[in-house]
Amino acid sequence: MTNAAETSPTPVDPDAPAARPLSPGAFVQSDSALAGRLVERLGRIEVLLDEVVAQASALPDETCHHLLRAGGKRIRPVLVLLAAEFGTSDQIDVDRAAAAVELIHLATLYHDDVMDEAPMRRGAPSAHAVWGNSVAILTGDLLFARASLLTSMMGPEAVRLQSETFERLVLGQLHEFTGPVDGADPIEHYLAVLGDKTGSLIATASEFGLRFSGAPESLIAPLREYGEKVGVAFQLADDLIDLVSDGAKSGKRPGTDLREGVPTLPVLHVRADAAAGDPAAAAVVELLDADLSSDDALERARAALVAHPATARARQVAEAWAEDAVKALAAVPDGEVKDGLIEFARTAVSRVA
Ligand code: FPP
Ligand code: MG
């Protein structure tokens, strides 16, 4: 572990392939009034985020801005804004909600990268790689404190929703770490983990957007269900990106999950196939269970897993979750906002290289 006092911060490499914010044009007609509103609003939220993470002393100010400035797709704020289109979207609490969900997400990433020992995030060195584990964890806590400040301005209902969501984020991460209890189905366990660690915050982003724009309460249940499912689809796609991307698009180092032994869906599928007697799957499992500390061994295991049908099946599962998310919108009024939500769900999985 590095010590902050001995380490000068590594600047973000300007040529590094940081994950870029998704343009609202990815979800809605790029020349529409809606796209214009989203772009303008996201610009305001960037300013709010930049201000709200600021710290008086230099080190925490730098560490808190680190991942914010490294990029990110801002999918949670976009979803708050899209959902708010069902109400009177131009409310200050909608901006606060959009910033708060991004900050909660950012806070979890600082912690997650420590737990995953991930060297890169958003094309930049991860915070713990620059300042050490303690500073990275405390930075996540600071961001969470600022997110809580924002939700406190939105009232007790927002604080309650944030608390419930935060509990699910932590339990999702914890249950991923502990694995299934004896006798539980590993794939069901994994999908429940994804619902908690990713679906919960995305569902809350849509609920925040609806509640704080005064949208009809009847939309909360379908949009929460949509968010839960998009979250699972998104995280399944993320797992595939860890396997199949070259890192240039994702801004992360490929194979991190394999090296850390995270049992993602392709791995769970190939283990199930091996247990069912598929010799090709058994050969992949042997590579996965080898010492993956060398880059060669990791690359052999990664390539073998990608070539096995288990990975293609995992991709189909991700697509099916995205389509289930779309089905959850059946009772939502038709129009360009709904079309945007549908596109948003499909984009979540189509970004897999
Ligand atoms: C990314 O998963 C991690 C999450 C979506 C949730 C992490 C939640 C916590 C660390 C809970 C504790 C948080 C705080 C602030 C107390 P991943 O590793 O599969 O995705 P990645 O590829 O983006 O790293
Ligand atoms: Mg991770």
Side-chain angles (χ1 to χ4, degrees):
M1 185 170 105
T2 42
N3 180 324
E6 301 162 358
T7 317
S8 60
T10 308
V12 174
D13 174 358
D15 298 324
R20 297 275 167 240
L22 284 180
S23 152
F27 317 118
V28 295
Q29 284 289 327
S30 54
D31 55 352
S32 68
L34 173 58
R37 276 200 300 283
L38 292 179
V39 168
E40 197 259 331
R41 203 79 190 264
L42 282 168
R44 257 157 56 191
I45 288 157
E46 281 308 300
V47 174
L48 177 58
L49 281 166
D50 195 58
E51 285 170 6
V52 90
V53 305
Q55 288 285 334
S57 46
L59 180 71
D61 190 58
E62 183 170 5
T63 62
C64 285
H65 279 101
H66 178 69
L67 281 186
L68 190 63
R69 290 187 177 145
K73 297 178 285 300
R74 308 286 190 260
I75 66 157
R76 292 156 188 84
V78 168
L79 196 49
V80 171
L81 298 185
L82 268 178
E85 289 285 329
F86 289 113
T88 313
S89 74
D90 197 18
Q91 306 280 347
I92 180 69
D93 278 346
V94 171
D95 287 5
R96 288 178 178 141
V101 291
E102 185 64 16
L103 289 184
I104 295 166
H105 172 59
L106 272 175
T108 69
L109 296 183
Y110 280 79
H111 287 204
D112 180 65
D113 285 342
V114 171
M115 294 179 71
D116 289 351
E117 299 180 26
M120 281 173 73
R121 168 74 65 183
R122 298 180 169 177
S126 52
H128 72 89
V130 182
W131 292 283
N133 287 353
S134 301
V135 170
I137 291 167
L138 293 167
T139 300
D141 295 343
L142 280 171
L143 295 178
F144 184 63
R146 291 296 167 90
S148 306
L149 193 61
L150 284 173
T151 47
S152 73
M153 293 172 187
M154 293 154 57
E157 183 62 12
V159 175
R160 180 193 60 78
L161 199 49
Q162 180 191 354
S163 311
E164 286 174 8
T165 307
F166 197 59
E167 182 167 327
R168 283 186 64 196
L169 290 172
V170 174
L171 285 176
Q173 188 80 349
L174 185 69
H175 289 144
E176 178 172 273
F177 179 72
T178 57
V181 293
D182 281 348
D185 177 62
I187 292 181
E188 267 176 37
H189 167 85
Y190 186 61
L191 293 172
V193 161
L194 301 193
D196 283 342
K197 79 172 195 175
T198 305
S200 61
L201 186 56
I202 296 187
T204 291
S206 26
E207 182 166 349
F208 270 160
L210 293 173
R211 276 192 190 282
F212 293 99
S213 65
E217 290 233 350
S218 59
L219 293 179
I220 292 178
L223 253 77
R224 275 208 71 93
E225 187 185 341
Y226 163 86
E228 293 278 348
K229 289 183 168 157
V230 167
V232 174
F234 188 88
Q235 192 66 45
L236 288 170
D238 213 54
D239 292 350
L240 287 160
I241 287 169
D242 184 77
L243 269 186
V244 303
S245 91
D246 58 4
K249 270 188 175 173
S250 67
K252 300 173 189 168
R253 180 167 300 171
T256 300
D257 288 338
L258 290 187
R259 182 164 272 162
E260 290 307 309
V262 179
T264 58
L265 197 60
V267 172
L268 292 171
H269 278 165
V270 86
R271 288 194 188 282
D273 291 355
D278 169 358
V284 178
V285 168
E286 199 174 316
L287 291 172
L288 290 173
D289 287 343
D291 174 5
L292 299 184
S293 53
S294 82
D295 288 349
D296 273 0
L298 183 65
E299 180 47 28
R300 264 197 306 279
R302 192 198 65 81
L305 181 57
V306 169
H308 191 275
T311 296
R313 254 172 28 236
R315 190 187 294 245
Q316 286 161 6
V317 173
E319 286 163 0
W321 277 86
E323 288 311 310
D324 278 354
V326 170
K327 284 186 196 133
L329 298 175
V332 171
D334 289 336
E336 60 175 345
V337 179
K338 181 170 170 174
D339 291 346
L341 291 169
I342 292 172
E343 208 41 46
F344 183 93
R346 293 186 176 145
T347 307
V349 287
S350 63
R351 68 206 168 97
V352 179

